[in-house]
Amino acid sequence: MSQKLLVAPYKQLLTHFRFLVTLRSQEGKYHSLIIFRLSTSGDVALGEASESSDNIEQQLYAMEAHCPHLGADISHADIEECEDSMVLVCPWHRYDFDLRTGQSDTGLKACTYAIELRPAEGGIDEVWLQTPEEGTNWRLVELRPVSEAFADPPPPPLDLSHLSSHSTQATTPAEPEPIVPDDAPTTLIQWAVLILNTADPMLKVQRTRHAVELYRTGKLKVIGHRASNPPQPPEMPPRVDSFSKNTVDPLKVSRRKNRAVMLHALANIEQWAIDLAWDIIARYGPAHPELPPAFFSDFTKMALDESKHFTLLTARLSALSPTTPYGSMPVHASLWDSARVTFASLRARLAIIHLVHEARGLDVNPGTIEKFRRAGDSESVDVLEIIHADEVTHVTAGHRWFTWVCEREGIEPIQTFRDEVRKGWKGDIKGPFNKEAREKAGMTPEFYENLRGEQDTKGIEAKMKNLEVNKTTEPPTVALHWTSRT
Ligand code: FES
């Protein structure tokens, strides 16, 4: 018999109708599924026993998060009533699967998991989930609502008209660029490259939302990472002119003195983070045809999160300090500089960007939130708390795919991570560490304690120059560690 795992008090599921659940085993294996709550009697169920637990339980379903046919993300699939059962209709090829049994007329079967409501103290029911594999100890590492337009409205539009829409690398457009260009991308990789080449930050956000929506709802079915001639991501994503002029050496960016400066700096990091989420798709996808759709689901979700963070932060910045809008203060591109040294290896990218940089974010976020709290700025605290919760899931994704790569190669993840950091990072991995948040994301202390990077910056500069020279004849996806061995 497989075990049952506590998911949450039922009332926590009343905010949305779908939730992404991520489980991790002791051995570092991941499993994602979606909980569907079809009952619309949420308000009644809030502590008032008008609807019986049995009825509510009947309307809770859990199914693996990716279609057993070709791996489509089913988080936004249609649900239809079919005779006496409910079926999920996959957005990619419209196969349907019984939500309770997983059966399909096509002969395929999706994994489904029993859900049980158990009474708990105070008369509040708890949701328990049957776990996937017998004999495996699973732990819940993520429970987050799947965005639903009606329950999760996008942030208000942001006025960034003070920023020129001129790219530093593109020719001057006569009119604002449309979200979907005339030669609309037809694959996810093409969208990723288009968004990376989009200088205007708001257009980058809009295109991110649009592309992820297309991908999730099955209007964009082709990832394109196995295409023969996929487009190449840029060496460095362009920025609007006024922004580029403000880009300075990281050491010259003033120490964060006030809330507006901090919000501006964080928004800049989020803009680079949007690019990094698309870059991992565009740069490493084509070099790794073995990557499953779940990889692309995780990083499109990350791109969407980062674009949400960017709009939340810039909206807070304009509310707090209308005279210093986004783009008016000095910024730096050190996150991208770090990413450049990992161009040759997906494993290095996951280690340095997602398990060093993003994990560092988990350490410093609570202190930043506290500064805003002490200043009585509860609106910014709310924004930063949303960002912190999302960032835990991003480090989780980094850990998930880093261990996936290591498993394919038959190598041990902790030692491999430490080796990657020694090669791709300069200086100590600094604490103090937020051990609790790191551990939630899979980063136990053995990964990062007493670790020092010995990056040879001179060697890296020479390599980057070499890459520049070879750029016209060779795509910048230099030999990847793990494909060369598999
Ligand atoms: S029916 Fe789901 S991927 Fe094809």
Side-chain angles (χ1 to χ4, degrees):
M1 278 290 289
S2 57
Q3 298 161 319
K4 290 250 167 76
L5 185 75
L6 173 62
V7 176
Y10 177 64
K11 65 196 255 197
Q12 204 177 313
L13 302 194
L14 293 177
T15 56
H16 290 69
F17 292 105
R18 298 175 186 203
F19 290 82
L20 171 67
V21 175
T22 305
L23 308 177
R24 184 172 57 238
S25 73
Q26 267 175 338
E27 297 73 36
K29 267 170 61 177
Y30 282 85
H31 200 89
S32 298
L33 44 96
I34 308 288
I35 289 182
F36 298 90
R37 179 177 69 84
L38 303 191
S39 166
T40 51
S41 57
D43 295 342
V44 173
L46 260 176
E48 300 171 23
S50 310
E51 183 163 8
S52 76
S53 291
D54 282 354
N55 281 352
I56 294 173
E57 195 175 85
Q58 287 303 314
Q59 301 194 59
L60 288 170
Y61 299 85
M63 184 177 270
E64 61 184 306
H66 292 91
C67 175
H69 178 218
L70 293 179
D73 176 346
I74 56 126
S75 62
H76 285 63
D78 291 335
I79 306 287
E80 291 176 9
E81 200 164 352
C82 183
E83 295 169 1
D84 56 351
S85 63
M86 302 304 291
V87 297
L88 173 139
V89 184
C90 174
W92 278 12
H93 309 106
R94 312 299 297 171
Y95 290 7
D96 53 41
F97 299 89
D98 186 297
L99 263 183
R100 189 65 70 205
T101 65
Q103 301 284 357
S104 161
D105 289 344
T106 61
L108 291 170
K109 186 171 185 294
C111 293
T112 55
Y113 304 94
I115 292 200
E116 193 187 320
L117 277 187
R118 291 185 188 169
E121 272 179 39
I124 296 176
D125 286 341
E126 290 174 339
V127 177
W128 288 73
L129 174 77
Q130 172 204 354
T131 55
E133 285 163 28
E134 203 175 319
T136 303
N137 254 334
W138 294 98
R139 112 175 228 204
L140 179 78
V141 292
E142 182 179 4
L143 171 72
R144 65 179 305 196
V146 169
S147 296
E148 291 157 287
F150 51 88
D152 196 7
L158 187 65
D159 181 12
L160 291 175
S161 52
H162 58 283
L163 290 179
S164 152
S165 60
H166 302 175
S167 153
T168 51
Q169 295 184 7
T171 52
T172 305
E175 304 222 336
E177 285 182 70
I179 295 173
V180 182
D182 289 342
D183 53 342
T186 55
T187 70
L188 189 67
I189 300 287
Q190 288 175 9
W191 267 109
V193 172
L194 172 71
I195 294 167
L196 283 162
N197 281 315
T198 300
D200 181 314
M202 206 54 213
L203 186 58
K204 192 185 285 289
V205 166
Q206 289 168 320
R207 284 182 169 164
T208 295
R209 281 199 203 138
H210 185 75
V212 177
E213 168 78 6
L214 292 180
Y215 183 62
R216 285 178 168 176
T217 54
K219 296 183 192 95
L220 179 70
K221 296 186 184 68
V222 183
I223 294 168
H225 65 312
R226 295 174 186 148
S228 55
N229 196 17
Q232 296 297 318
E235 177 76 17
M236 182 157 186
R239 291 293 185 258
V240 294
D241 288 343
S242 57
F243 203 89
S244 298
K245 283 180 202 137
N246 269 345
T247 302
V248 298
D249 185 312
L251 296 175
K252 293 191 181 144
V253 175
S254 65
R255 287 188 64 77
R256 297 169 177 185
K257 289 179 184 141
N258 61 58
R259 285 179 287 145
V261 171
M262 281 195 271
L263 290 171
H264 193 283
L266 291 170
N268 172 52
I269 289 171
E270 296 296 348
Q271 191 181 346
W272 284 114
I274 302 171
D275 284 326
L276 285 167
W278 287 117
D279 190 69
I280 200 167
I281 288 172
R283 190 171 303 280
Y284 306 99
H288 296 271
E290 306 87 346
L291 282 170
F295 174 88
F296 299 94
S297 296
D298 274 3
F299 286 95
T300 48
K301 178 162 80 69
M302 197 180 288
L304 195 63
D305 283 349
E306 308 296 16
S307 65
K308 175 181 74 181
H309 301 170
F310 175 80
T311 47
L312 287 170
L313 286 164
T314 44
R316 262 316 288 149
L317 176 64
S318 23
L320 186 73
S321 176
T323 54
T324 58
Y326 184 63
S328 65
M329 297 186 197
V331 290
H332 62 79
S334 61
L335 197 52
W336 191 264
D337 292 341
S338 254
R340 281 164 64 108
V341 302
T342 69
F343 276 3
S345 161
L346 171 60
R347 210 169 67 192
R349 167 63 63 90
L350 289 162
I352 301 302
I353 295 300
H354 299 286
L355 300 181
V356 173
H357 274 289
E358 282 205 278
R360 183 66 190 144
L362 303 186
D363 302 332
V364 299
N365 287 346
T368 309
I369 292 170
E370 197 44 42
K371 279 184 196 158
F372 280 86
R373 200 187 307 279
R374 278 203 303 266
D377 183 350
S378 60
E379 288 99 331
S380 295
V381 168
D382 290 348
V383 166
L384 294 172
E385 282 180 340
I386 290 171
I387 293 174
H388 179 64
D390 287 347
E391 299 293 0
V392 175
T393 71
H394 298 176
V395 180
T396 305
H399 178 262
R400 172 183 193 164
W401 293 105
F402 187 82
T403 51
W404 185 88
V405 170
C406 290
E407 193 181 334
R408 282 186 66 86
E409 289 187 64
I411 52 180
E412 199 282 319
I414 294 177
Q415 196 50 49
T416 306
F417 171 75
R418 296 179 74 88
D419 290 344
E420 289 293 354
V421 172
R422 281 191 197 99
K423 283 185 290 179
W425 184 256
K426 194 165 165 51
D428 290 329
I429 298 297
K430 287 191 192 128
F433 301 111
N434 183 344
K435 289 193 172 176
E436 192 187 339
R438 281 173 172 258
E439 208 266 334
K440 200 170 173 201
M443 295 292 286
T444 50
E446 302 79 53
F447 273 91
Y448 55 82
E449 276 187 345
N450 303 316
L451 181 57
R452 182 175 173 75
E454 295 155 8
Q455 186 195 56
D456 167 12
T457 41
K458 282 194 187 129
I460 294 291
E461 276 158 25
K463 240 189 242 173
M464 295 311 298
K465 279 206 183 102
N466 223 2
L467 202 64
E468 291 280 340
V469 170
N470 292 334
K471 203 165 51 170
T472 50
T473 53
E474 205 176 87
T477 45
V478 192
L480 298 171
H481 294 165
W482 60 286
T483 45
S484 61
R485 296 188 203 170
T486 49

